[in-house]
Amino acid sequence: MLLLVMRHGAATPLDTNDFDRVLTKAGIESVVRVCESLREKQVNIERVIASPLVRAQQTATLVADRLVQGEPTMTWPEVSPFGECGLVAEMLGADPATTLVVTHQPFAGMLVEYLTGRTVSMGTATVVGIESEILGKNSGEVIWVVRD
């Protein structure tokens, strides 16, 4: 299976409500450029799972509109900024569908490290491709990283 872990695009600064922060114009443009890179890699995303926070939902929609044919984006609170890696790996299971998880730091980096044993810098709009037979601790391999 191929799992893509993506950090949302650049968002407005934190004022009072972290949940409602939206993507900036530059954040939107960055996500669109990353979509082009994924298209060049011929990545066929079959499902998208996103955190309920607005910036992750916006990022997921941008990607889904450009690269996904099929079911709509699913919202999982478990992939919010402080999600639990083992629980998310279990929820993803051994589904062979190529899945994109749009999330936040620190969870994006923690999930990549949990699944692969590798530390990857997860700037905004970064996508890490992980190949694995079944998702679990140190079960996968980072096969590529796309950054804007």
Side-chain angles (χ1 to χ4, degrees):
M1 81 180 317
L2 177 61
L3 175 69
L4 306 154
V5 177
M6 180 177 195
R7 183 178 176 196
H8 61 79
T12 55
L14 177 61
D15 288 329
T16 56
N17 188 350
D18 188 45
F19 188 92
D20 294 326
R21 291 174 54 211
V22 298
L23 295 179
T24 61
K25 181 181 179 202
I28 292 168
E29 293 167 351
S30 183
V31 170
V32 170
R33 285 190 296 270
V34 166
C35 286
E36 290 305 314
S37 295
L38 293 174
R39 180 175 285 123
E40 289 172 12
K41 287 186 167 304
Q42 299 182 340
V43 175
N44 180 28
I45 300 170
E46 298 169 87
R47 70 177 178 166
V48 179
I49 297 165
S51 154
L53 281 70
V54 173
R55 59 196 181 275
Q57 291 287 312
Q58 290 177 309
T59 299
T61 298
L62 287 166
V63 175
D65 287 350
R66 286 162 178 76
L67 299 175
V68 180
Q69 295 178 353
E71 64 185 87
T73 299
M74 294 177 277
T75 300
W76 286 10
E78 294 83 3
V79 298
S80 294
F82 297 97
E84 184 184 327
C85 297
L87 174 62
V88 170
E90 184 178 309
M91 290 174 69
L92 289 166
D95 188 331
T98 298
T99 301
L100 170 71
V101 174
V102 181
T103 186
H104 313 264
Q105 278 295 78
F107 185 68
M110 290 168 36
L111 184 59
V112 170
E113 187 169 353
Y114 176 86
L115 294 172
T116 68
R118 283 194 48 197
T119 301
V120 176
S121 175
M122 296 295 293
T124 55
T126 296
V127 183
V128 177
I130 299 170
E131 199 163 86
S132 183
E133 299 267 330
I134 186 165
L135 294 174
K137 188 168 180 71
N138 297 319
S139 64
E141 178 182 348
V142 173
I143 57 172
W144 46 257
V145 177
V146 172
R147 294 183 175 91
D148 178 40

mmCIF file of all heavy atoms in Angstrom, residues 74-100:
data_model
loop_
_atom_site.group_PDB
_atom_site.id
_atom_site.type_symbol
_atom_site.label_atom_id
_atom_site.label_comp_id
_atom_site.label_asym_id
_atom_site.label_seq_id
_atom_site.Cartn_x
_atom_site.Cartn_y
_atom_site.Cartn_z
ATOM 1 N N MET A 74 -12.755 12.253 3.821
ATOM 2 C CA MET A 74 -13.260 11.829 5.132
ATOM 3 C C MET A 74 -12.582 12.677 6.202
ATOM 4 O O MET A 74 -11.410 13.036 6.058
ATOM 5 C CB MET A 74 -12.942 10.355 5.369
ATOM 6 C CG MET A 74 -13.677 9.427 4.431
ATOM 7 S SD MET A 74 -13.211 7.708 4.691
ATOM 8 C CE MET A 74 -11.720 7.642 3.712
ATOM 9 N N THR A 75 -13.305 12.983 7.252
ATOM 10 C CA THR A 75 -12.764 13.762 8.364
ATOM 11 C C THR A 75 -12.565 12.846 9.554
ATOM 12 O O THR A 75 -13.509 12.183 9.990
ATOM 13 C CB THR A 75 -13.729 14.907 8.728
ATOM 14 O OG1 THR A 75 -13.889 15.748 7.577
ATOM 15 C CG2 THR A 75 -13.184 15.728 9.890
ATOM 16 N N TRP A 76 -11.324 12.814 10.044
ATOM 17 C CA TRP A 76 -10.990 12.005 11.221
ATOM 18 C C TRP A 76 -10.391 12.920 12.291
ATOM 19 O O TRP A 76 -9.275 13.434 12.106
ATOM 20 C CB TRP A 76 -9.954 10.945 10.874
ATOM 21 C CG TRP A 76 -10.419 9.775 10.090
ATOM 22 C CD1 TRP A 76 -11.623 9.590 9.458
ATOM 23 C CD2 TRP A 76 -9.658 8.592 9.822
ATOM 24 N NE1 TRP A 76 -11.647 8.376 8.826
ATOM 25 C CE2 TRP A 76 -10.458 7.740 9.029
ATOM 26 C CE3 TRP A 76 -8.383 8.170 10.172
ATOM 27 C CZ2 TRP A 76 -10.020 6.493 8.589
ATOM 28 C CZ3 TRP A 76 -7.937 6.940 9.742
ATOM 29 C CH2 TRP A 76 -8.753 6.103 8.961
ATOM 30 N N PRO A 77 -11.050 13.119 13.409
ATOM 31 C CA PRO A 77 -10.461 13.890 14.497
ATOM 32 C C PRO A 77 -9.143 13.284 14.987
ATOM 33 O O PRO A 77 -8.293 13.981 15.543
ATOM 34 C CB PRO A 77 -11.520 13.840 15.603
ATOM 35 C CG PRO A 77 -12.782 13.420 14.937
ATOM 36 C CD PRO A 77 -12.399 12.651 13.714
ATOM 37 N N GLU A 78 -8.968 11.993 14.756
ATOM 38 C CA GLU A 78 -7.761 11.293 15.225
ATOM 39 C C GLU A 78 -6.481 11.788 14.556
ATOM 40 O O GLU A 78 -5.381 11.500 15.025
ATOM 41 C CB GLU A 78 -7.905 9.782 14.987
ATOM 42 C CG GLU A 78 -8.976 9.122 15.802
ATOM 43 C CD GLU A 78 -10.382 9.251 15.199
ATOM 44 O OE1 GLU A 78 -10.543 9.816 14.102
ATOM 45 O OE2 GLU A 78 -11.329 8.783 15.856
ATOM 46 N N VAL A 79 -6.590 12.510 13.428
ATOM 47 C CA VAL A 79 -5.384 13.017 12.768
ATOM 48 C C VAL A 79 -5.189 14.516 13.012
ATOM 49 O O VAL A 79 -4.530 15.212 12.253
ATOM 50 C CB VAL A 79 -5.340 12.681 11.249
ATOM 51 C CG1 VAL A 79 -5.320 11.179 11.047
ATOM 52 C CG2 VAL A 79 -6.483 13.331 10.480
ATOM 53 N N SER A 80 -5.742 14.998 14.118
ATOM 54 C CA SER A 80 -5.538 16.376 14.552
ATOM 55 C C SER A 80 -4.103 16.528 15.064
ATOM 56 O O SER A 80 -3.371 15.545 15.150
ATOM 57 C CB SER A 80 -6.558 16.726 15.631
ATOM 58 O OG SER A 80 -7.857 16.728 15.073
ATOM 59 N N PRO A 81 -3.684 17.743 15.428
ATOM 60 C CA PRO A 81 -2.266 17.975 15.751
ATOM 61 C C PRO A 81 -1.624 17.014 16.756
ATOM 62 O O PRO A 81 -0.437 16.750 16.673
ATOM 63 C CB PRO A 81 -2.255 19.404 16.278
ATOM 64 C CG PRO A 81 -3.397 20.056 15.578
ATOM 65 C CD PRO A 81 -4.451 18.987 15.469
ATOM 66 N N PHE A 82 -2.390 16.499 17.697
ATOM 67 C CA PHE A 82 -1.797 15.636 18.710
ATOM 68 C C PHE A 82 -2.430 14.246 18.704
ATOM 69 O O PHE A 82 -2.739 13.674 19.750
ATOM 70 C CB PHE A 82 -1.878 16.292 20.093
ATOM 71 C CG PHE A 82 -1.101 17.573 20.149
ATOM 72 C CD1 PHE A 82 -1.722 18.795 19.971
ATOM 73 C CD2 PHE A 82 0.277 17.542 20.302
ATOM 74 C CE1 PHE A 82 -0.993 19.977 19.983
ATOM 75 C CE2 PHE A 82 1.019 18.719 20.312
ATOM 76 C CZ PHE A 82 0.377 19.938 20.155
ATOM 77 N N GLY A 83 -2.608 13.699 17.507
ATOM 78 C CA GLY A 83 -3.187 12.373 17.354
ATOM 79 C C GLY A 83 -2.287 11.281 17.922
ATOM 80 O O GLY A 83 -1.133 11.520 18.268
ATOM 81 N N GLU A 84 -2.835 10.076 18.001
ATOM 82 C CA GLU A 84 -2.093 8.919 18.498
ATOM 83 C C GLU A 84 -1.722 8.033 17.313
ATOM 84 O O GLU A 84 -2.589 7.469 16.637
ATOM 85 C CB GLU A 84 -2.952 8.145 19.499
ATOM 86 C CG GLU A 84 -2.214 6.995 20.124
ATOM 87 C CD GLU A 84 -3.113 6.179 21.041
ATOM 88 O OE1 GLU A 84 -4.014 6.754 21.675
ATOM 89 O OE2 GLU A 84 -2.910 4.955 21.090
ATOM 90 N N CYS A 85 -0.434 7.890 17.055
ATOM 91 C CA CYS A 85 0.062 7.184 15.867
ATOM 92 C C CYS A 85 -0.440 5.743 15.782
ATOM 93 O O CYS A 85 -0.875 5.297 14.719
ATOM 94 C CB CYS A 85 1.586 7.208 15.840
ATOM 95 S SG CYS A 85 2.267 8.863 15.698
ATOM 96 N N GLY A 86 -0.356 5.008 16.867
ATOM 97 C CA GLY A 86 -0.772 3.608 16.848
ATOM 98 C C GLY A 86 -2.242 3.456 16.499
ATOM 99 O O GLY A 86 -2.622 2.577 15.718
ATOM 100 N N LEU A 87 -3.083 4.327 17.041
ATOM 101 C CA LEU A 87 -4.512 4.282 16.762
ATOM 102 C C LEU A 87 -4.780 4.578 15.286
ATOM 103 O O LEU A 87 -5.543 3.877 14.627
ATOM 104 C CB LEU A 87 -5.261 5.275 17.647
ATOM 105 C CG LEU A 87 -6.751 5.439 17.351
ATOM 106 C CD1 LEU A 87 -7.500 4.124 17.564
ATOM 107 C CD2 LEU A 87 -7.338 6.549 18.218
ATOM 108 N N VAL A 88 -4.123 5.602 14.748
ATOM 109 C CA VAL A 88 -4.337 5.951 13.343
ATOM 110 C C VAL A 88 -3.844 4.832 12.429
ATOM 111 O O VAL A 88 -4.513 4.477 11.458
ATOM 112 C CB VAL A 88 -3.682 7.309 13.004
ATOM 113 C CG1 VAL A 88 -3.682 7.570 11.501
ATOM 114 C CG2 VAL A 88 -4.399 8.426 13.750
ATOM 115 N N ALA A 89 -2.697 4.244 12.726
ATOM 116 C CA ALA A 89 -2.195 3.125 11.921
ATOM 117 C C ALA A 89 -3.203 1.980 11.942
ATOM 118 O O ALA A 89 -3.484 1.369 10.908
ATOM 119 C CB ALA A 89 -0.839 2.653 12.439
ATOM 120 N N GLU A 90 -3.762 1.711 13.108
ATOM 121 C CA GLU A 90 -4.763 0.653 13.228
ATOM 122 C C GLU A 90 -6.020 0.991 12.426
ATOM 123 O O GLU A 90 -6.587 0.135 11.744
ATOM 124 C CB GLU A 90 -5.121 0.458 14.704
ATOM 125 C CG GLU A 90 -6.079 -0.678 14.966
ATOM 126 C CD GLU A 90 -6.345 -0.828 16.461
ATOM 127 O OE1 GLU A 90 -5.372 -0.889 17.241
ATOM 128 O OE2 GLU A 90 -7.540 -0.869 16.824
ATOM 129 N N MET A 91 -6.456 2.228 12.486
ATOM 130 C CA MET A 91 -7.647 2.653 11.748
ATOM 131 C C MET A 91 -7.426 2.560 10.237
ATOM 132 O O MET A 91 -8.338 2.199 9.496
ATOM 133 C CB MET A 91 -8.031 4.079 12.135
ATOM 134 C CG MET A 91 -8.576 4.203 13.549
ATOM 135 S SD MET A 91 -8.855 5.921 14.048
ATOM 136 C CE MET A 91 -10.232 6.366 12.985
ATOM 137 N N LEU A 92 -6.220 2.888 9.793
ATOM 138 C CA LEU A 92 -5.903 2.797 8.364
ATOM 139 C C LEU A 92 -5.811 1.346 7.927
ATOM 140 O O LEU A 92 -6.146 0.997 6.799
ATOM 141 C CB LEU A 92 -4.596 3.532 8.058
ATOM 142 C CG LEU A 92 -4.662 5.048 8.138
ATOM 143 C CD1 LEU A 92 -3.260 5.638 8.157
ATOM 144 C CD2 LEU A 92 -5.485 5.622 6.997
ATOM 145 N N GLY A 93 -5.332 0.499 8.842
ATOM 146 C CA GLY A 93 -5.268 -0.939 8.601
ATOM 147 C C GLY A 93 -4.443 -1.332 7.402
ATOM 148 O O GLY A 93 -3.450 -0.701 7.066
ATOM 149 N N ALA A 94 -4.859 -2.376 6.742
ATOM 150 C CA ALA A 94 -4.136 -2.919 5.593
ATOM 151 C C ALA A 94 -4.888 -2.620 4.301
ATOM 152 O O ALA A 94 -4.729 -3.321 3.313
ATOM 153 C CB ALA A 94 -3.943 -4.417 5.762
ATOM 154 N N ASP A 95 -5.719 -1.585 4.303
ATOM 155 C CA ASP A 95 -6.474 -1.214 3.106
ATOM 156 C C ASP A 95 -5.491 -0.897 1.985
ATOM 157 O O ASP A 95 -4.599 -0.073 2.148
ATOM 158 C CB ASP A 95 -7.339 0.016 3.410
ATOM 159 C CG ASP A 95 -8.304 0.345 2.287
ATOM 160 O OD1 ASP A 95 -7.997 0.054 1.116
ATOM 161 O OD2 ASP A 95 -9.369 0.907 2.583
ATOM 162 N N PRO A 96 -5.625 -1.541 0.840
ATOM 163 C CA PRO A 96 -4.673 -1.328 -0.241
ATOM 164 C C PRO A 96 -4.870 -0.006 -0.987
ATOM 165 O O PRO A 96 -4.051 0.348 -1.834
ATOM 166 C CB PRO A 96 -4.935 -2.512 -1.181
ATOM 167 C CG PRO A 96 -6.363 -2.855 -0.941
ATOM 168 C CD PRO A 96 -6.610 -2.563 0.516
ATOM 169 N N ALA A 97 -5.928 0.741 -0.667
ATOM 170 C CA ALA A 97 -6.179 2.012 -1.356
ATOM 171 C C ALA A 97 -5.056 2.999 -1.063
ATOM 172 O O ALA A 97 -4.597 3.120 0.073
ATOM 173 C CB ALA A 97 -7.512 2.600 -0.906
ATOM 174 N N THR A 98 -4.607 3.709 -2.090
ATOM 175 C CA THR A 98 -3.629 4.773 -1.895
ATOM 176 C C THR A 98 -4.335 5.906 -1.162
ATOM 177 O O THR A 98 -5.304 6.473 -1.656
ATOM 178 C CB THR A 98 -3.066 5.253 -3.241
ATOM 179 O OG1 THR A 98 -2.402 4.154 -3.866
ATOM 180 C CG2 THR A 98 -2.082 6.388 -3.049
ATOM 181 N N THR A 99 -3.847 6.193 0.034
ATOM 182 C CA THR A 99 -4.519 7.115 0.935
ATOM 183 C C THR A 99 -3.639 8.319 1.239
ATOM 184 O O THR A 99 -2.447 8.175 1.499
ATOM 185 C CB THR A 99 -4.873 6.398 2.258
ATOM 186 O OG1 THR A 99 -5.715 5.277 1.955
ATOM 187 C CG2 THR A 99 -5.579 7.317 3.226
ATOM 188 N N LEU A 100 -4.257 9.503 1.223
ATOM 189 C CA LEU A 100 -3.609 10.736 1.634
ATOM 190 C C LEU A 100 -4.188 11.146 2.976
ATOM 191 O O LEU A 100 -5.411 11.245 3.115
ATOM 192 C CB LEU A 100 -3.862 11.850 0.609
ATOM 193 C CG LEU A 100 -3.435 13.260 1.034
ATOM 194 C CD1 LEU A 100 -1.915 13.369 1.070
ATOM 195 C CD2 LEU A 100 -4.029 14.300 0.105
#
